[in-house]
Amino acid sequence: MAVTIEIDHARTRARAAAATGQPVVPQAVKGPIRRLKWAILLLTLSIYYVTPFLRWDRGANAPDQAVLLDFANGRLYAFFIELWPQDLYLVTGLLVLASTILILTNALAGRLWCGFACPQTVWTDLFLLVERLIEGDRRQRLKNIGAPLTAKRVIEIAAKHAAWLLISVATGGTLIFYFTDAPDLLRGFASGEISATALTWILVFTGTTYGLAGFAREQVCTFMCPWPRLQGAIWDPEAYTVNYRDYRGEQRTSAKKAAELRLQGKPAGDCVDCGQCVAVCPIGIDIREGPNFACINCGLCVDACDGVMAKLGRPRGLIDYESWKNIERGRRAEPAVNRLVRPKTLGLTAACVALAGVITVAFGARTTASLSVQHDRDPVAVRLSDGSVRNAYTVKLLNKSASPHRYRLSVGGVAAKIAIVGNDALAPIEVAPDASESLRVTLTAPEHVQGDVVFTAREESGAAVLTARDKFVVR
């Protein structure tokens, strides 16, 4: 039975368009990887748009938005997690952990994040879907490049950009929801009672989404993002990235010519040079030319090539997720070797587990209150008329809980008399919820006393004892 494979003669035109600065126009493709990408797109967009509206009961005096970046009050909320500016080390730890996971992913399967879950990829896929639904698939869109405008084309262009702007506004507006109460802001937006600051940021994020996903597209992945620039340093030949099995595909020839050569007992490659792998690539590269730092490892060319091989009755996998080492082994007719588990990946996995453990322990060891002491610097000490020495300190009590607490302040380590300015009776100090109290404290001791002094704030209920250490200085 004769099999017809469509040769993409528009490929040359597409490459010429890319050379002149025009965007890459990828073709739609069907297959398991494309279906997986659609599923991830739906999941990530659902998480992004729905999360700000999730509620989480933290009790009175606390916001009930599950995820909230409350910069105005210096809080980061994520369900049961609440972070203060003093917890910045935990955020740093999470960023280091995320970077380590990204490097581990790269060691296992290259730019997997870029190809499937990166916001630029997700929103570009969404914009491309809109473009295809309105203007048609790749061949039609290539014909439209440089073609004279007609009434139909004007309507298509207007509809496409209107849809893009609608998605961009929804994206920019949703991002603002993460920084303030989402339902309140949504009601304000609907009634026109929205602050100029919120409106400005919505316009900024709308313009960013519209420009990056609608126009910059592959330029972001190739030139603007720093990650591909790091590939030369961290590229791993054992990682399972998208590669072309050239030892199987070359020499390229048409399906008919390949059949004739094989009947004559001559070698012929499986690649029929149909160009489908190039046509579906969102970056516009030809994976058959070898590893390319611009490849985002999305695997759409795998689906395209597998579809062609299925029509020809040939085995799938001419283009596949394969390590470069196995490509080289295939050229030498050696069996493939799976080395996903190797010292590098084991070390990175151990580092991720260790970092996650340290962050978990640090988070669990946090307290809802803290005590800090700052010694006066000018002067460090004051000698009184009776020969004794006085040191002054600023003591700060911080209450990070949603309920008020009362503390009694005392000192130890040196035989010094404590005095709290404005609190001669040393009465308990009440600290309101999510607030702090600064106290002016003096210590007076004989001139021969010098050394470490320990400040202790003991909660009246006995639930917490806070300590801070400083120096008592004699001059």
Side-chain angles (χ1 to χ4, degrees), residues 198-229:
L199 184 59
T200 299
W201 282 111
I202 289 174
L203 292 175
V204 168
F205 292 131
T206 296
T208 302
T209 305
Y210 180 68
L212 295 183
F215 300 95
R217 293 183 180 175
E218 74 283 348
Q219 305 298 323
V220 175
C221 301
T222 306
F223 302 109
M224 297 173 65
C225 178
W227 191 239
R229 301 297 170 186

PDB file of all heavy atoms in Angstrom, residues 198-229:
ATOM      1  N   ALA A 198      -2.505  49.540  41.971  1.00  0.00           N
ATOM      2  CA  ALA A 198      -2.897  48.211  41.490  1.00  0.00           C
ATOM      3  C   ALA A 198      -3.135  48.229  39.988  1.00  0.00           C
ATOM      4  O   ALA A 198      -2.708  47.321  39.262  1.00  0.00           O
ATOM      5  CB  ALA A 198      -4.148  47.735  42.225  1.00  0.00           C
ATOM      6  N   LEU A 199      -3.800  49.261  39.495  1.00  0.00           N
ATOM      7  CA  LEU A 199      -4.077  49.362  38.066  1.00  0.00           C
ATOM      8  C   LEU A 199      -2.777  49.465  37.269  1.00  0.00           C
ATOM      9  O   LEU A 199      -2.632  48.848  36.197  1.00  0.00           O
ATOM     10  CB  LEU A 199      -4.967  50.569  37.792  1.00  0.00           C
ATOM     11  CG  LEU A 199      -5.423  50.761  36.342  1.00  0.00           C
ATOM     12  CD1 LEU A 199      -6.205  49.552  35.867  1.00  0.00           C
ATOM     13  CD2 LEU A 199      -6.260  52.030  36.207  1.00  0.00           C
ATOM     14  N   THR A 200      -1.817  50.222  37.786  1.00  0.00           N
ATOM     15  CA  THR A 200      -0.527  50.364  37.090  1.00  0.00           C
ATOM     16  C   THR A 200       0.178  49.025  36.964  1.00  0.00           C
ATOM     17  O   THR A 200       0.685  48.661  35.888  1.00  0.00           O
ATOM     18  CB  THR A 200       0.373  51.362  37.847  1.00  0.00           C
ATOM     19  OG1 THR A 200      -0.266  52.628  37.884  1.00  0.00           O
ATOM     20  CG2 THR A 200       1.725  51.490  37.165  1.00  0.00           C
ATOM     21  N   TRP A 201       0.209  48.262  38.072  1.00  0.00           N
ATOM     22  CA  TRP A 201       0.884  46.966  38.028  1.00  0.00           C
ATOM     23  C   TRP A 201       0.146  45.980  37.127  1.00  0.00           C
ATOM     24  O   TRP A 201       0.773  45.156  36.447  1.00  0.00           O
ATOM     25  CB  TRP A 201       1.043  46.405  39.436  1.00  0.00           C
ATOM     26  CG  TRP A 201       2.175  47.034  40.185  1.00  0.00           C
ATOM     27  CD1 TRP A 201       2.100  47.862  41.265  1.00  0.00           C
ATOM     28  CD2 TRP A 201       3.570  46.898  39.883  1.00  0.00           C
ATOM     29  NE1 TRP A 201       3.352  48.256  41.660  1.00  0.00           N
ATOM     30  CE2 TRP A 201       4.277  47.674  40.831  1.00  0.00           C
ATOM     31  CE3 TRP A 201       4.289  46.210  38.911  1.00  0.00           C
ATOM     32  CZ2 TRP A 201       5.664  47.768  40.827  1.00  0.00           C
ATOM     33  CZ3 TRP A 201       5.670  46.291  38.896  1.00  0.00           C
ATOM     34  CH2 TRP A 201       6.336  47.061  39.851  1.00  0.00           C
ATOM     35  N   ILE A 202      -1.179  46.036  37.115  1.00  0.00           N
ATOM     36  CA  ILE A 202      -1.932  45.172  36.203  1.00  0.00           C
ATOM     37  C   ILE A 202      -1.567  45.482  34.758  1.00  0.00           C
ATOM     38  O   ILE A 202      -1.356  44.582  33.936  1.00  0.00           O
ATOM     39  CB  ILE A 202      -3.451  45.342  36.436  1.00  0.00           C
ATOM     40  CG1 ILE A 202      -3.847  44.721  37.778  1.00  0.00           C
ATOM     41  CG2 ILE A 202      -4.243  44.694  35.301  1.00  0.00           C
ATOM     42  CD1 ILE A 202      -5.285  44.975  38.159  1.00  0.00           C
ATOM     43  N   LEU A 203      -1.467  46.767  34.435  1.00  0.00           N
ATOM     44  CA  LEU A 203      -1.094  47.161  33.073  1.00  0.00           C
ATOM     45  C   LEU A 203       0.324  46.713  32.740  1.00  0.00           C
ATOM     46  O   LEU A 203       0.596  46.256  31.615  1.00  0.00           O
ATOM     47  CB  LEU A 203      -1.227  48.677  32.917  1.00  0.00           C
ATOM     48  CG  LEU A 203      -2.658  49.228  32.956  1.00  0.00           C
ATOM     49  CD1 LEU A 203      -2.646  50.752  32.919  1.00  0.00           C
ATOM     50  CD2 LEU A 203      -3.481  48.671  31.796  1.00  0.00           C
ATOM     51  N   VAL A 204       1.235  46.819  33.709  1.00  0.00           N
ATOM     52  CA  VAL A 204       2.626  46.383  33.478  1.00  0.00           C
ATOM     53  C   VAL A 204       2.681  44.888  33.188  1.00  0.00           C
ATOM     54  O   VAL A 204       3.304  44.440  32.213  1.00  0.00           O
ATOM     55  CB  VAL A 204       3.507  46.737  34.694  1.00  0.00           C
ATOM     56  CG1 VAL A 204       4.869  46.040  34.586  1.00  0.00           C
ATOM     57  CG2 VAL A 204       3.702  48.240  34.801  1.00  0.00           C
ATOM     58  N   PHE A 205       2.020  44.089  34.029  1.00  0.00           N
ATOM     59  CA  PHE A 205       2.058  42.634  33.844  1.00  0.00           C
ATOM     60  C   PHE A 205       1.266  42.213  32.613  1.00  0.00           C
ATOM     61  O   PHE A 205       1.613  41.224  31.959  1.00  0.00           O
ATOM     62  CB  PHE A 205       1.527  41.934  35.092  1.00  0.00           C
ATOM     63  CG  PHE A 205       2.420  42.098  36.292  1.00  0.00           C
ATOM     64  CD1 PHE A 205       1.909  42.496  37.508  1.00  0.00           C
ATOM     65  CD2 PHE A 205       3.786  41.874  36.194  1.00  0.00           C
ATOM     66  CE1 PHE A 205       2.728  42.658  38.617  1.00  0.00           C
ATOM     67  CE2 PHE A 205       4.620  42.038  37.286  1.00  0.00           C
ATOM     68  CZ  PHE A 205       4.095  42.426  38.506  1.00  0.00           C
ATOM     69  N   THR A 206       0.217  42.953  32.290  1.00  0.00           N
ATOM     70  CA  THR A 206      -0.523  42.671  31.059  1.00  0.00           C
ATOM     71  C   THR A 206       0.368  42.888  29.840  1.00  0.00           C
ATOM     72  O   THR A 206       0.428  42.040  28.935  1.00  0.00           O
ATOM     73  CB  THR A 206      -1.765  43.568  30.968  1.00  0.00           C
ATOM     74  OG1 THR A 206      -2.651  43.259  32.041  1.00  0.00           O
ATOM     75  CG2 THR A 206      -2.487  43.373  29.646  1.00  0.00           C
ATOM     76  N   GLY A 207       1.061  44.023  29.832  1.00  0.00           N
ATOM     77  CA  GLY A 207       1.954  44.309  28.712  1.00  0.00           C
ATOM     78  C   GLY A 207       3.097  43.309  28.610  1.00  0.00           C
ATOM     79  O   GLY A 207       3.492  42.912  27.505  1.00  0.00           O
ATOM     80  N   THR A 208       3.615  42.877  29.755  1.00  0.00           N
ATOM     81  CA  THR A 208       4.705  41.899  29.749  1.00  0.00           C
ATOM     82  C   THR A 208       4.238  40.574  29.164  1.00  0.00           C
ATOM     83  O   THR A 208       4.916  39.981  28.314  1.00  0.00           O
ATOM     84  CB  THR A 208       5.220  41.679  31.184  1.00  0.00           C
ATOM     85  OG1 THR A 208       5.649  42.922  31.732  1.00  0.00           O
ATOM     86  CG2 THR A 208       6.385  40.717  31.187  1.00  0.00           C
ATOM     87  N   THR A 209       3.077  40.089  29.609  1.00  0.00           N
ATOM     88  CA  THR A 209       2.547  38.826  29.085  1.00  0.00           C
ATOM     89  C   THR A 209       2.266  38.938  27.593  1.00  0.00           C
ATOM     90  O   THR A 209       2.621  38.039  26.812  1.00  0.00           O
ATOM     91  CB  THR A 209       1.255  38.445  29.830  1.00  0.00           C
ATOM     92  OG1 THR A 209       1.500  38.418  31.228  1.00  0.00           O
ATOM     93  CG2 THR A 209       0.745  37.090  29.370  1.00  0.00           C
ATOM     94  N   TYR A 210       1.634  40.011  27.194  1.00  0.00           N
ATOM     95  CA  TYR A 210       1.283  40.224  25.785  1.00  0.00           C
ATOM     96  C   TYR A 210       2.531  40.272  24.910  1.00  0.00           C
ATOM     97  O   TYR A 210       2.572  39.665  23.821  1.00  0.00           O
ATOM     98  CB  TYR A 210       0.487  41.518  25.679  1.00  0.00           C
ATOM     99  CG  TYR A 210       0.043  41.899  24.293  1.00  0.00           C
ATOM    100  CD1 TYR A 210      -0.910  41.163  23.610  1.00  0.00           C
ATOM    101  CD2 TYR A 210       0.574  43.027  23.662  1.00  0.00           C
ATOM    102  CE1 TYR A 210      -1.327  41.528  22.338  1.00  0.00           C
ATOM    103  CE2 TYR A 210       0.162  43.405  22.397  1.00  0.00           C
ATOM    104  CZ  TYR A 210      -0.786  42.650  21.739  1.00  0.00           C
ATOM    105  OH  TYR A 210      -1.196  43.006  20.471  1.00  0.00           O
ATOM    106  N   GLY A 211       3.553  40.963  25.371  1.00  0.00           N
ATOM    107  CA  GLY A 211       4.755  41.102  24.561  1.00  0.00           C
ATOM    108  C   GLY A 211       5.583  39.830  24.507  1.00  0.00           C
ATOM    109  O   GLY A 211       6.035  39.419  23.422  1.00  0.00           O
ATOM    110  N   LEU A 212       5.786  39.174  25.665  1.00  0.00           N
ATOM    111  CA  LEU A 212       6.660  37.997  25.699  1.00  0.00           C
ATOM    112  C   LEU A 212       6.011  36.779  25.052  1.00  0.00           C
ATOM    113  O   LEU A 212       6.662  36.047  24.292  1.00  0.00           O
ATOM    114  CB  LEU A 212       7.036  37.679  27.149  1.00  0.00           C
ATOM    115  CG  LEU A 212       7.882  38.723  27.874  1.00  0.00           C
ATOM    116  CD1 LEU A 212       8.232  38.246  29.275  1.00  0.00           C
ATOM    117  CD2 LEU A 212       9.163  39.052  27.104  1.00  0.00           C
ATOM    118  N   ALA A 213       4.734  36.531  25.346  1.00  0.00           N
ATOM    119  CA  ALA A 213       4.075  35.340  24.797  1.00  0.00           C
ATOM    120  C   ALA A 213       3.559  35.556  23.386  1.00  0.00           C
ATOM    121  O   ALA A 213       3.472  34.605  22.600  1.00  0.00           O
ATOM    122  CB  ALA A 213       2.917  34.917  25.708  1.00  0.00           C
ATOM    123  N   GLY A 214       3.241  36.796  23.051  1.00  0.00           N
ATOM    124  CA  GLY A 214       2.687  37.053  21.728  1.00  0.00           C
ATOM    125  C   GLY A 214       3.721  37.351  20.666  1.00  0.00           C
ATOM    126  O   GLY A 214       3.533  37.002  19.495  1.00  0.00           O
ATOM    127  N   PHE A 215       4.851  37.966  21.060  1.00  0.00           N
ATOM    128  CA  PHE A 215       5.808  38.421  20.056  1.00  0.00           C
ATOM    129  C   PHE A 215       7.225  37.888  20.279  1.00  0.00           C
ATOM    130  O   PHE A 215       7.859  37.402  19.350  1.00  0.00           O
ATOM    131  CB  PHE A 215       5.821  39.958  20.025  1.00  0.00           C
ATOM    132  CG  PHE A 215       4.492  40.561  19.688  1.00  0.00           C
ATOM    133  CD1 PHE A 215       3.620  40.967  20.698  1.00  0.00           C
ATOM    134  CD2 PHE A 215       4.088  40.705  18.379  1.00  0.00           C
ATOM    135  CE1 PHE A 215       2.382  41.514  20.401  1.00  0.00           C
ATOM    136  CE2 PHE A 215       2.847  41.260  18.065  1.00  0.00           C
ATOM    137  CZ  PHE A 215       1.996  41.659  19.086  1.00  0.00           C
ATOM    138  N   ALA A 216       7.735  37.988  21.516  1.00  0.00           N
ATOM    139  CA  ALA A 216       9.124  37.565  21.754  1.00  0.00           C
ATOM    140  C   ALA A 216       9.280  36.054  21.646  1.00  0.00           C
ATOM    141  O   ALA A 216      10.233  35.549  21.060  1.00  0.00           O
ATOM    142  CB  ALA A 216       9.581  38.060  23.123  1.00  0.00           C
ATOM    143  N   ARG A 217       8.411  35.316  22.247  1.00  0.00           N
ATOM    144  CA  ARG A 217       8.348  33.862  22.151  1.00  0.00           C
ATOM    145  C   ARG A 217       9.699  33.172  22.246  1.00  0.00           C
ATOM    146  O   ARG A 217      10.334  33.164  23.295  1.00  0.00           O
ATOM    147  CB  ARG A 217       7.607  33.457  20.869  1.00  0.00           C
ATOM    148  CG  ARG A 217       6.145  33.817  20.875  1.00  0.00           C
ATOM    149  CD  ARG A 217       5.435  33.350  19.627  1.00  0.00           C
ATOM    150  NE  ARG A 217       4.037  33.702  19.638  1.00  0.00           N
ATOM    151  CZ  ARG A 217       3.212  33.495  18.625  1.00  0.00           C
ATOM    152  NH1 ARG A 217       3.650  32.945  17.504  1.00  0.00           N
ATOM    153  NH2 ARG A 217       1.931  33.846  18.724  1.00  0.00           N
ATOM    154  N   GLU A 218      10.148  32.595  21.119  1.00  0.00           N
ATOM    155  CA  GLU A 218      11.402  31.823  21.141  1.00  0.00           C
ATOM    156  C   GLU A 218      12.611  32.700  21.432  1.00  0.00           C
ATOM    157  O   GLU A 218      13.654  32.194  21.876  1.00  0.00           O
ATOM    158  CB  GLU A 218      11.596  31.081  19.816  1.00  0.00           C
ATOM    159  CG  GLU A 218      12.003  31.938  18.626  1.00  0.00           C
ATOM    160  CD  GLU A 218      10.861  32.748  18.031  1.00  0.00           C
ATOM    161  OE1 GLU A 218       9.688  32.488  18.394  1.00  0.00           O
ATOM    162  OE2 GLU A 218      11.130  33.628  17.203  1.00  0.00           O
ATOM    163  N   GLN A 219      12.513  34.006  21.218  1.00  0.00           N
ATOM    164  CA  GLN A 219      13.632  34.895  21.517  1.00  0.00           C
ATOM    165  C   GLN A 219      13.918  34.919  23.022  1.00  0.00           C
ATOM    166  O   GLN A 219      15.055  35.065  23.451  1.00  0.00           O
ATOM    167  CB  GLN A 219      13.322  36.312  21.022  1.00  0.00           C
ATOM    168  CG  GLN A 219      12.961  36.396  19.547  1.00  0.00           C
ATOM    169  CD  GLN A 219      14.086  35.932  18.642  1.00  0.00           C
ATOM    170  OE1 GLN A 219      15.250  36.184  18.925  1.00  0.00           O
ATOM    171  NE2 GLN A 219      13.738  35.239  17.570  1.00  0.00           N
ATOM    172  N   VAL A 220      12.852  34.781  23.823  1.00  0.00           N
ATOM    173  CA  VAL A 220      13.037  34.728  25.279  1.00  0.00           C
ATOM    174  C   VAL A 220      13.832  33.494  25.647  1.00  0.00           C
ATOM    175  O   VAL A 220      14.790  33.549  26.421  1.00  0.00           O
ATOM    176  CB  VAL A 220      11.668  34.731  25.993  1.00  0.00           C
ATOM    177  CG1 VAL A 220      11.855  34.556  27.497  1.00  0.00           C
ATOM    178  CG2 VAL A 220      10.913  36.013  25.703  1.00  0.00           C
ATOM    179  N   CYS A 221      13.431  32.341  25.089  1.00  0.00           N
ATOM    180  CA  CYS A 221      14.083  31.069  25.434  1.00  0.00           C
ATOM    181  C   CYS A 221      15.520  31.005  24.924  1.00  0.00           C
ATOM    182  O   CYS A 221      16.358  30.324  25.516  1.00  0.00           O
ATOM    183  CB  CYS A 221      13.287  29.906  24.857  1.00  0.00           C
ATOM    184  SG  CYS A 221      11.578  29.825  25.444  1.00  0.00           S
ATOM    185  N   THR A 222      15.805  31.689  23.840  1.00  0.00           N
ATOM    186  CA  THR A 222      17.127  31.585  23.228  1.00  0.00           C
ATOM    187  C   THR A 222      18.076  32.673  23.703  1.00  0.00           C
ATOM    188  O   THR A 222      19.254  32.405  23.969  1.00  0.00           O
ATOM    189  CB  THR A 222      17.005  31.656  21.690  1.00  0.00           C
ATOM    190  OG1 THR A 222      16.075  30.654  21.247  1.00  0.00           O
ATOM    191  CG2 THR A 222      18.354  31.413  21.026  1.00  0.00           C
ATOM    192  N   PHE A 223      17.586  33.899  23.850  1.00  0.00           N
ATOM    193  CA  PHE A 223      18.485  35.023  24.106  1.00  0.00           C
ATOM    194  C   PHE A 223      18.264  35.726  25.445  1.00  0.00           C
ATOM    195  O   PHE A 223      19.219  36.196  26.060  1.00  0.00           O
ATOM    196  CB  PHE A 223      18.360  36.056  22.976  1.00  0.00           C
ATOM    197  CG  PHE A 223      18.668  35.508  21.617  1.00  0.00           C
ATOM    198  CD1 PHE A 223      17.665  35.319  20.686  1.00  0.00           C
ATOM    199  CD2 PHE A 223      19.960  35.151  21.269  1.00  0.00           C
ATOM    200  CE1 PHE A 223      17.930  34.805  19.426  1.00  0.00           C
ATOM    201  CE2 PHE A 223      20.245  34.622  20.015  1.00  0.00           C
ATOM    202  CZ  PHE A 223      19.228  34.447  19.095  1.00  0.00           C
ATOM    203  N   MET A 224      17.017  35.830  25.900  1.00  0.00           N
ATOM    204  CA  MET A 224      16.740  36.612  27.100  1.00  0.00           C
ATOM    205  C   MET A 224      16.918  35.806  28.380  1.00  0.00           C
ATOM    206  O   MET A 224      17.316  36.344  29.406  1.00  0.00           O
ATOM    207  CB  MET A 224      15.311  37.175  27.034  1.00  0.00           C
ATOM    208  CG  MET A 224      15.100  38.143  25.878  1.00  0.00           C
ATOM    209  SD  MET A 224      13.375  38.639  25.680  1.00  0.00           S
ATOM    210  CE  MET A 224      13.107  39.537  27.198  1.00  0.00           C
ATOM    211  N   CYS A 225      16.603  34.531  28.337  1.00  0.00           N
ATOM    212  CA  CYS A 225      16.716  33.679  29.529  1.00  0.00           C
ATOM    213  C   CYS A 225      18.173  33.258  29.733  1.00  0.00           C
ATOM    214  O   CYS A 225      18.845  32.849  28.777  1.00  0.00           O
ATOM    215  CB  CYS A 225      15.833  32.444  29.383  1.00  0.00           C
ATOM    216  SG  CYS A 225      15.964  31.299  30.779  1.00  0.00           S
ATOM    217  N   PRO A 226      18.683  33.338  30.974  1.00  0.00           N
ATOM    218  CA  PRO A 226      20.081  32.950  31.214  1.00  0.00           C
ATOM    219  C   PRO A 226      20.300  31.442  31.216  1.00  0.00           C
ATOM    220  O   PRO A 226      21.436  30.992  31.086  1.00  0.00           O
ATOM    221  CB  PRO A 226      20.370  33.529  32.606  1.00  0.00           C
ATOM    222  CG  PRO A 226      19.037  33.589  33.268  1.00  0.00           C
ATOM    223  CD  PRO A 226      18.045  33.895  32.188  1.00  0.00           C
ATOM    224  N   TRP A 227      19.229  30.654  31.359  1.00  0.00           N
ATOM    225  CA  TRP A 227      19.402  29.213  31.513  1.00  0.00           C
ATOM    226  C   TRP A 227      20.094  28.556  30.315  1.00  0.00           C
ATOM    227  O   TRP A 227      20.989  27.737  30.506  1.00  0.00           O
ATOM    228  CB  TRP A 227      18.051  28.567  31.796  1.00  0.00           C
ATOM    229  CG  TRP A 227      18.148  27.125  32.218  1.00  0.00           C
ATOM    230  CD1 TRP A 227      17.597  26.051  31.607  1.00  0.00           C
ATOM    231  CD2 TRP A 227      18.856  26.609  33.353  1.00  0.00           C
ATOM    232  NE1 TRP A 227      17.888  24.900  32.285  1.00  0.00           N
ATOM    233  CE2 TRP A 227      18.671  25.213  33.365  1.00  0.00           C
ATOM    234  CE3 TRP A 227      19.624  27.188  34.360  1.00  0.00           C
ATOM    235  CZ2 TRP A 227      19.220  24.387  34.342  1.00  0.00           C
ATOM    236  CZ3 TRP A 227      20.180  26.365  35.326  1.00  0.00           C
ATOM    237  CH2 TRP A 227      19.977  24.992  35.308  1.00  0.00           C
ATOM    238  N   PRO A 228      19.702  28.870  29.053  1.00  0.00           N
ATOM    239  CA  PRO A 228      20.415  28.234  27.938  1.00  0.00           C
ATOM    240  C   PRO A 228      21.893  28.595  27.887  1.00  0.00           C
ATOM    241  O   PRO A 228      22.715  27.828  27.397  1.00  0.00           O
ATOM    242  CB  PRO A 228      19.664  28.733  26.697  1.00  0.00           C
ATOM    243  CG  PRO A 228      18.943  29.948  27.142  1.00  0.00           C
ATOM    244  CD  PRO A 228      18.593  29.709  28.578  1.00  0.00           C
ATOM    245  N   ARG A 229      22.248  29.784  28.406  1.00  0.00           N
ATOM    246  CA  ARG A 229      23.662  30.173  28.411  1.00  0.00           C
ATOM    247  C   ARG A 229      24.476  29.311  29.366  1.00  0.00           C
ATOM    248  O   ARG A 229      25.697  29.192  29.223  1.00  0.00           O
ATOM    249  CB  ARG A 229      23.789  31.649  28.813  1.00  0.00           C
ATOM    250  CG  ARG A 229      23.036  32.589  27.893  1.00  0.00           C
ATOM    251  CD  ARG A 229      23.561  32.564  26.492  1.00  0.00           C
ATOM    252  NE  ARG A 229      22.708  33.276  25.553  1.00  0.00           N
ATOM    253  CZ  ARG A 229      22.909  33.299  24.254  1.00  0.00           C
ATOM    254  NH1 ARG A 229      23.935  32.657  23.734  1.00  0.00           N
ATOM    255  NH2 ARG A 229      22.092  33.955  23.451  1.00  0.00           N
TER     256      ARG A 229
END
